[in-house]
Amino acid sequence: METLALYVPRLLEKKENFAPGHRACSGCGEALAVRMVMKALGKNVIVVMATGCMEIISTQLPYTSWEVPWIHTLFENTAAVASGVVAGREALTRKGKASSRTKVVAMAGDGATADIGVQALSGALERGHDFTYICFDNEAYMNTGIQRSSATPFGAATTTQPVGKISMGQNTWKKDMPAIAVAHNIPYVATASPSYPFDLMNKVKKARDIEGPAYLHILSVCPTGWRTPSDLSVRIGRLAVETGVFPLYEVENGKYTLNIDPPQLRSVEDYLKLQGRFKHLTPEMIKEIQEKVEAKYAELVEKVLFYDGF
Amino acid sequence: MSKLTEIRWHGRGGQGAVTSAEVMGLSAIEEGKFAQAFPSFGPERRGAPVLAFNRISDSEHIRMRSAVTQPDIVVVLDPGLLGIIDVTRGLKEGGVLIINSSKSLLDIKSEFEGPWTLAVVDATAIAMEVLKIPIVNTAMLGAMVKVTGVVKLESLAEPLGERFGKLAEKNIAACRRAYDEVSIAAQGAVSQRPEKTFGEVTWPSWQELLPGGVVTDAGNARSYRTGDWRSDRPIWDHDRCIKCGVCMLFCPEGCVEQNEQGYFEANYYYCKGCGICARECWTQAITMVEEAKA
Ligand SMILES: Cc1ncc(C[n+]2csc(CCOP(=O)(O)OP(=O)(O)O)c2C)c(N)n1
Ligand code: SF4
């Protein structure tokens, strides 16, 4: 586990660039992640945000929680709009009216990233714009009431893959979005979790400062959609890492590093049993998930070791 | 002319006010009446005050589709709402106000007496005893049917059965107990509405908005109160606190602040009472205390 430095206040940026008064559910892990991201980013950024929970809860006219320039986009064009903002910034920089120190950060949910906006994202990563894209992955379309996305994990009950005689929840495995980002040969890809705040904030700063596209994938516990008590959001995020379900790693110019590497992975059951969306799982399904998690984790470790060899 | 009854339910997101309205509507249809049941939509999430509505007509189609603003019956599921929302707003003279509270009818009367019938039931206690969880919507249905007679108690059974499946029996029991236990005060002699003022938000008209809905006042959500979503509040024990600030780190609202002595406290204007701080505190210096008792 990340050793939480004692005396957080001395290490933590005081300023809240994501202001309270937002209307996220009580205990929302996604709002917590956005808050930490905004602490790390500082004030010199332009945020481009897809529709989804975080947009809805932070910008109810006439209110806004954003302390920085913020623009709302459609579902499918977040990365395209961010590309345009970057191009605009560069044109103005040439005229001496702006500075490339102003960073552009796109933010979107898992539905907006892995399904609907994936084409625009792929284009922007491949063209190599200097921007950061952050996916807040709460593993379903939460804003509209828990519909499955391609990032919903196997077995999870959603309103479109419910549990009953015919369906036992999501019947496909979670799409590996970070791997898709890595496949674009971009300088920086990382996974993060608000349960490991300093790791998360360091990665945000790294992504912000790197020239070229950076992709960050943040697992965000959603008590409403995951059917979990609101006080467990941070604990469940930690369990996702400790069980290997959501490993925290970075890929810098193709080089893999595992940031949190528990000496022994906990059983996935510890993670699954706390969540209402998994309560119907049979022992066989849990075994299947355990095997899949171990195999994926081993694959990751292999990549890390491969680069350690150099 | 046919009689139209309009009902407004006050609850919090996740408490089942919408289900109450649905079951009420279905029971009326069961009796051959016409009915509507619908929630009021907003961006508010779990814990936030929400409204649900019914229209019930004896014998005629209901053409109206708007929110109910002048209800005949108001039902309050959460006593915590009484201090923050004007639950009697628009309630018709001669109407009915039903409140879930552990207070006695006499106490409630001193605050909410008006030109309407007032009724009180301790639905939370009933729910805790019968269902073992503080979900009061089915108990409140029982109380409401007793006081108003909009539908018969028996008519609730089928919709409740369909809605709750395995848990139907217990919910029907909770319903029945509230039916028996609700205390009712006859219509108040006072014809005046109680004088209560609540913070009112004024909205800009559309003509005052900038093109594209641009908001120029960065971070102005700070003036928006989310603290009234809370049902439990975190309380810090300074003897145990080591001033590490983990509570501040993990607060999704960003509303935990350090005071001059170096201790931490939540800004209750925003705190939604999620309980993450209490769960994460290393020394267990934070306890969550029920709002009504804090
Ligand atoms: C093209 C399009 N389809 C559907 C919608 C409706 N919609 C708004 S938000 C949302 C869900 C967003 O889910 P996700 O991106 O996973 O973010 P989350 O709300 O879970 O944070 C949907 C379906 C829309 N705005 N645009
Ligand atoms: S539905 Fe989930 S992600 Fe959306 S605001 Fe609520 S807790 Fe957060």
Side-chain angles (χ1 to χ4, degrees), chain B residues 48-68:
Chain B
V50 294
L51 299 176
F53 308 104
N54 282 121
R55 282 198 184 89
I56 294 169
S57 161
D58 290 349
S59 55
E60 267 175 39
H61 287 287
I62 309 167
R63 304 282 176 208
M64 214 171 345
R65 286 290 185 275
S66 55
V68 171

Side-chain angles (χ1 to χ4, degrees), chain A residues 7-291:
Chain A
Y7 305 114
V8 172
R10 267 198 274 144
L11 301 168
L12 194 68
E13 163 62 42
K14 283 250 158 47
K15 183 96 180 75
E16 300 290 349
N17 289 323
F18 182 64
H22 65 70
R23 302 176 207 195
C25 303
S26 174
C28 173
E30 195 171 4
L32 176 59
V34 172
R35 173 181 168 238
M36 287 176 182
V37 166
M38 289 312 295
K39 273 192 185 297
L41 283 177
K43 280 217 93 156
N44 201 0
V45 290
I46 298 171
V47 176
V48 176
M49 186 177 252
T51 192
C53 275
M54 291 304 104
E55 169 248 335
I56 295 289
I57 60 95
S58 67
T59 58
Q60 279 298 313
L61 203 69
Y63 297 115
T64 176
S65 281
W66 300 90
E67 292 283 3
V68 301
W70 178 95
I71 180 173
H72 165 47
T73 70
L74 302 180
F75 233 149
E76 46 281 66
N77 64 347
T78 316
V81 171
S83 313
V85 175
V86 172
R89 177 196 71 191
E90 273 154 25
L92 288 173
T93 304
R94 283 197 294 277
K95 292 183 183 165
K97 290 184 183 164
S99 154
S100 49
R101 282 198 302 271
T102 304
K103 301 296 177 181
V104 178
V105 180
M107 300 182 182
D110 54 290
T113 302
D115 297 344
I116 305 179
V118 76
Q119 169 199 295
L121 173 60
S122 175
L125 295 182
E126 172 270 327
R127 289 190 302 269
H129 299 285
D130 179 23
F131 81 121
T132 301
Y133 188 103
I134 304 180
C135 171
F136 293 98
D137 180 5
N138 55 16
E139 305 198 314
Y141 290 83
M142 294 309 180
N143 181 53
T144 37
I146 328 177
Q147 292 84 20
R148 62 83 74 183
S149 80
S150 57
T152 304
F154 176 78
T158 61
T159 51
T160 45
Q161 289 262 266
V163 174
K165 287 200 196 82
I166 299 169
S167 154
M168 281 296 268
Q170 178 87 330
N171 59 359
T172 54
W173 296 97
K174 186 180 173 76
K175 186 189 272 186
D176 190 349
M177 239 352 260
I180 292 173
V182 170
H184 289 75
N185 296 316
I186 56 174
Y188 190 72
V189 175
T191 62
S193 154
S195 303
Y196 297 81
F198 291 103
D199 176 74
L200 181 147
M201 289 189 273
N202 287 338
K203 285 171 174 168
V204 171
K205 287 183 187 149
K206 237 185 201 174
R208 173 195 67 187
D209 294 338
I210 268 170
E211 210 172 307
Y215 177 86
L216 221 60
H217 195 97
I218 302 181
L219 187 71
S220 312
V221 176
C222 166
T224 304
W226 296 18
R227 311 238 181 266
T228 53
S230 63
D231 60 333
L232 290 186
S233 295
V234 170
R235 175 153 301 188
I236 288 172
R238 205 175 284 131
L239 280 167
V241 175
E242 290 172 352
T243 54
V245 168
F246 190 83
L248 298 185
Y249 62 94
E250 286 176 298
V251 191
E252 291 166 281
N253 292 310
K255 179 182 180 310
Y256 282 76
T257 318
L258 202 49
N259 305 105
I260 308 286
D261 190 11
Q264 183 163 18
L265 294 183
R266 292 174 72 148
S267 138
V268 290
E269 210 170 343
D270 292 353
Y271 171 70
L272 302 174
K273 72 179 177 210
L274 294 176
Q275 306 177 43
R277 63 174 174 160
F278 291 123
K279 92 170 172 248
H280 58 282
L281 293 189
T282 60
E284 294 75 50
M285 286 171 90
I286 294 176
K287 187 158 164 274
E288 223 180 316
I289 294 172
Q290 181 72 54
E291 285 166 7

Side-chain angles (χ1 to χ4, degrees), chain B residues 140 145 170 225 259 278:
Chain B
M140 288 310 278
V145 164
K170 283 196 169 154
R225 182 203 296 270
N259 65 19

Side-chain angles (χ1 to χ4, degrees), chain B residues 165-177:
Chain B
K166 272 188 293 195
L167 296 173
E169 214 170 295
K170 283 196 169 154
N171 277 287
I172 292 171
C175 190
R176 224 172 260 284
R177 265 205 47 194

Side-chain angles (χ1 to χ4, degrees), chain B residues 97-127:
Chain B
L97 173 61
I98 308 164
I99 294 175
N100 165 27
S101 172
S102 56
K103 290 189 186 161
S104 70
L105 184 58
L106 215 61
D107 283 345
I108 289 285
K109 226 171 138 178
S110 65
E111 280 181 77
F112 290 96
E113 186 163 39
W116 44 69
T117 304
L118 187 63
V120 179
V121 62
D122 192 353
T124 310
I126 295 176

